Amino acid sequence: YKTTRGGNIHQGEKVGNLASPVRRGLNHHMSLLTKDLEASGGPYICGDSYTLADVSMVPIFERMEYGRWWTDSLKTQFPLVTKYWEAIQEREGYKASKPDMAMHNKMVMVGKLIDQWKREHTWFNNFYEN
């Protein structure tokens, strides 16, 4: 991206070139996870058993949420993955493992800044949604 003297942000070549591979990567990995969940019968990667395979997905989904990458369009496109993440979040162990409040608050502030940029800059929103 580039900024003008007034601080306005305009879509530049770097953003356009980056958005497409990022979105393709997300789609690829969500497609693989969907296939794994379909093959196991869910609700987890290994069927009814909650395993380290599922535990390893927790920080990924958490960061996707804080960073606003777990978008409505991804949720719609990958409903089985959405159900999977919701099932994990309902587990008592997950609820007990949440980050301390100071870290959580920092991550929430980052998310709010991202939301603001998405509202103010169409190109930034498109980076996430297209």
Side-chain angles (χ1 to χ4, degrees), residues 78-90:
F78 299 102
L80 197 55
V81 175
T82 300
K83 287 182 188 178
Y84 168 70
W85 178 228
E86 289 169 353
I88 290 173
Q89 290 176 303
E90 290 300 316

Side-chain angles (χ1 to χ4, degrees), residues 35-86:
K35 289 177 185 176
D36 289 341
L37 293 167
E38 288 171 343
S40 75
Y44 305 112
I45 293 173
C46 293
D48 291 329
S49 298
Y50 185 74
T51 67
L52 285 176
D54 304 298
V55 171
S56 70
M57 297 301 294
V58 169
I60 295 167
F61 277 100
E62 284 182 339
R63 294 319 180 262
M64 285 178 65
E65 283 191 343
Y66 283 129
R68 302 307 198 254
W69 283 106
W70 188 230
T71 61
D72 289 340
S73 62
L74 275 178
K75 292 175 189 175
T76 301
Q77 189 176 355
F78 299 102
L80 197 55
V81 175
T82 300
K83 287 182 188 178
Y84 168 70
W85 178 228
E86 289 169 353

Side-chain angles (χ1 to χ4, degrees), residues 84-102:
Y84 168 70
W85 178 228
E86 289 169 353
I88 290 173
Q89 290 176 303
E90 290 300 316
R91 297 180 61 83
E92 289 304 317
Y94 173 79
K95 292 175 186 177
S97 72
K98 299 298 284 176
D100 65 64
M101 193 53 70

